[in-house]
Amino acid sequence: METIDLKLPCSDATLVLDALRHYIAHIENLNDDAVDEDTLADLLNDNELLKGLESSISKSVAEKFGDY
């Protein structure tokens, strides 16, 4: 898998983490009846990817700046 290196100030990294955590919580608290099955399946799949991304960024932030 190809990757990119992003140099982010701590304030930007925490903003990205906040946005990811907010979207993850939104998906997890979504009323299953509010969306059709295909959309729900896509959101649940995205949620797993978002959790992995959040974990990765969170780990990088913790190593550089401390836990957030």
Side-chain angles (χ1 to χ4, degrees), residues 31-62:
N31 179 354
D32 295 352
D33 297 327
V35 295
D36 62 75
E37 276 187 33
D38 290 337
T39 301
L40 181 60
D42 288 343
L43 287 171
L44 293 175
N45 185 52
D46 289 350
N47 200 35
E48 292 306 310
L49 297 172
L50 290 168
K51 286 179 184 178
L53 179 59
E54 187 277 337
S55 177
S56 176
I57 294 172
S58 182
K59 181 180 175 188
S60 294
V61 168

Side-chain angles (χ1 to χ4, degrees), residues 1-2 7 9 22 24 31 34 42 55:
M1 172 187 348
E2 292 199 36
K7 303 281 187 203
H22 177 77
I24 289 167
N31 179 354
D42 288 343
S55 177

